[in-house]
Amino acid sequence: MTTLLTNPLRVGLRQERVITPQCIVIFGASGDLTHRKLVPALFELFRQRRLPSEFAVLGCARRPWSDEEFRSKMGEALANEIADHPSAWEQFSQGLFYEPVDLQQADHLVRLGQRLEGIDRLRATRGNRTFYLSVSPEFYGSGCRALAAAGLLADAERSRVVIEKPFGRDYGSAQQLNKVVQACAKESQVFRIDHYLGKETVQNILVMRFANTIFEPIWNRNYIANVQITAAETVGVEDRAGYYESSGALRDMVQNHLTQILALTAMEPPGRFDAEAIRNEKAKVLQAARLANEDEPWKCCVRGQYSSGGSRARPLSGYRQEPGVNANSTTETYVAMKLFINNWRWQGVPFYLRTGKRLPKRLSEVVLTFRQAPVHLFDAAGGAPTPNQLILRIQPDEGAEIKFEVKAPGSGMRSRPVDMGFSYDDSFGEPSDEGYVRLLADAMLGDPTLYTRSDEVEAAWRLYTPLLELIEESPWQLPVHPYEARTWGPAAADSLLGDDGLGWRRP
Amino acid sequence: MSTQLTLQAPLDVPPAEVYPYLDRLWNHGLEGTTGAATFTLLIWEPSWLEQQMVRIGRIEGPIRGLERDDLIEAARLITADCDLPFSTAPMDPRLAWKVGQLEGQLEAQDLRGQFIPNAISVHTPRRLITLVPTLDASQSLETMVAAYCPLPDEGGAGAACGDAIVLRGGMEALRQGLPLIQPLIDEALPCWVWWNSSLDEPPEMLEALAPLPRRLVIDTSLGQPARCLDVLVERIEAGQAVNDLNWLRLRSWRESLAMVFDPPSRRDALAHVVQLDIDVEGDHPVKGLLLTAWMADRLGWHLIDSSPAEEPGGINAEFQRTDGTTVRFRQMPVPVGLPKAHPGAIVGLRLICEPADRPALCVILCSESGGCMRLESGGMAAMELVEEVVPLPEENEEMEMARLLGGGHDTTNPLLASAAPLAATILPR
């Protein structure tokens, strides 16, 4: 009999570091992210006993809320969690405060400083502060400047700033933003968040690669024929049209999430497990990455945009018919591309990246396809032997799978492919923490391992600069191919691999 | 693990001058730094075994107070000379006492309190205060002071971040020196007290060093089992944040057992446990009882009865599951040729579950370095067998301590808080 009960012997075994006394200041506290992700993540940390009693959350936004209003709004947003843990919420919410702040008003920052000193006294938070900029991206630079001008980032040991994505719109703006931020704070104080790195299964790429000896010897051009990285969504643009119209899939998904997965998949082993060693290797591999054809980038990239589709019972509108979207929009909701990494390990191995909205399945995965055996000794049930594949499933059904050939039962020596799988659900049976739980804890502990460093961000933007320039200057060379909602993207994306004699894995 | 000496040579300062000296050091000598806002670590560091072994020439000085491989090795070799069983753990306080009866008058430099393990120094304690009693009970009080800072891994000098204070002398002198300590503890910072010795030592010193709200670290493998569990339970019930190194050393056993039941398909078996057997090294039962109590607490078992087993050192007990079924428990001491450093290490564990409508499940966990032959015998042919080897991480006291300091928890681990009173009840008195 299978049970879905929690393993009673597992409860409480994790003894992770308690965060030092701390006040986390959330700018943009009236926004979605605060009540959907940040405060729930902090409440989860509190329930896991990872927050000390000397802890406070100060919400800041322009709305003239009081502490009580802020607590009440957060309480409404977390109603389900609170119903299960009412006394924990009672304790946690005592540490929630609110201060109306406009980051552009110097006197507001002075008032903020005074409020923080008051909270230090009231909650014994000892001047340790994490400022979380959950504001519109155009305010990242000015927000940092305002904090620095008010002296709130002066203590490099006790103050940190977390910056949400997107960090810049292109290479130039990312460089510019880095300059501004680094003029306000030391790099060790800056935490550029990419919530994909908070996912257990993304971190598992590192563990799979570097905690096992069986993979690393074959993790290179001698054995791997190609790598596919896919992040597919079933949803459309939903209520994000305002942001998405100016960003598109390339900026929204590829430059950050997919590129981070690429870096973890392709990086060299770090000498030790610490933030700098890991980020050095990630930066190095991104600096070695190139579009497959930089001179004619339209040959190695396909853009798409979903059109209407779905079933008669549940029709889905096309992107251009979505609320808030320009009826003639050329924003891509799908992008596929081919990259190479010019180093000893990966020379000549194509990396195919794709992401899209309104695809048939929601999934993220990395697929490493190995080279064919040099000689085919056996008949294959499918005509030709299937190449070995290692599939790292990031979501859903988190886990890993290896495909290999075995002898098909019966007389003769025919081979057929089988799967050997590992599933987080089957092995652990416990849900993982939401990525923000891990990332917020790390930021407050001052551990930047899962945050992106300035050179990583710039290398990621530089990688896609030829494409961004092309879209900007001669978009007709990189047209947006329509694809029907709930299909696997435009046919041109299949040709991208088809020209190499390959095909996308159909998950 | 490498260690480092303090940044400057420790300075002998008269006891009455310690506080004024430190005040001058931070306010004038080290201008521009206020030191780390972290914690104070107060250590009771008698190192009786090390002192005695140096005195009789079985190991060389200086005396450092840290767990060292040559001391463990020498202690294992001297067990027979002391007329103790081979299974006696090197850190067993009885061994130090027996060695104390052997002849020898060698002396060595005493550097206790001046070596700071890297694992601890990376947490930049603001102040380390080490009390080091000497074998010579009449020795007068000496106090030493030094500023220190962890050496950065990759070059570059760090600013001074803390100081280390050593109080050395005979027991009486240290008792007289106790009033020096309170003014040295910054009340705005957490204070950890590491009782790095047997809990059988005179209780006044522990009482004086570890009042609430200081966080206490003890080791319930060192001392009479009843005394160890009583101290643990009393302190927890008093609301003190208590950490037990003996409990922490159970980490891999708890983790290994939990791993067996992580796959959802096995979880149901946990509701149908009928028998639990544990083998421990030597005659110190506390570690095994803490593991048992943890399981009983997590699985909702109620203790019905416990009694000494017929075999010397063994314990029998009966629990009742939530559905009223009886769970039989038996803990046995087993002899070993190469005992672990601390008394009462677990050798093996067997858990038998009898779920309805399914074959019985037998889980056997064995220590990496020991066998499980006793647990593997007897009537399990028809059962589904899960057998795992529990890894024993090569970690010493200082690394365990560093893990605690890094964790920063200001309350007793709730699992320990629940398990300790039950373990104390299972122990036959």
Side-chain angles (χ1 to χ4, degrees), chain A residues 231-244:
Chain A
E233 298 176 281
T234 52
V235 295
V237 70
E238 297 186 309
D239 56 358
R240 297 170 66 218
Y243 159 73
Y244 203 82

Side-chain angles (χ1 to χ4, degrees), chain A residues 1-21 48-54 124 126 128 158 272 274 276-277 280 424-430 445, chain B residues 34-38 123 153-154 188-190 215 251 254-255 257-268 270 272 294-295 298-299 351 358 406-415:
Chain A
M1 188 175 77
T2 300
T3 176
L4 296 176
L5 294 175
T6 301
N7 177 357
L9 300 181
R10 175 61 62 198
V11 174
L13 281 196
R14 276 198 310 186
Q15 277 289 294
E16 292 175 281
R17 286 173 67 189
V18 169
I19 290 150
T20 47
Q48 292 178 9
R49 298 176 66 242
R50 298 200 58 200
L51 294 183
S53 45
E54 304 91 351
R126 300 188 203 161
N128 294 317
R158 297 186 189 186
R272 57 182 186 274
D274 73 21
E276 289 319 296
N280 285 344
Y424 267 85
D425 269 354
D426 291 347
S427 296
F428 302 118
E430 305 277 342
L445 286 163
Chain B
T34 54
T38 49
H123 297 298
D153 278 348
E154 292 174 345
L189 300 177
R215 305 171 188 182
R251 186 186 302 113
R254 290 192 299 268
E255 181 64 35
L257 195 56
M259 268 168 57
V260 170
F261 295 98
D262 272 337
S265 58
R266 285 218 189 107
R267 290 208 192 137
D268 184 56
L270 277 176
H272 299 93
W294 163 70
M295 289 178 61
R298 294 311 315 154
L299 299 176
L351 192 68
R358 284 186 65 179
H409 293 270
D410 57 1
T411 54
T412 301
N413 179 311
L415 299 179

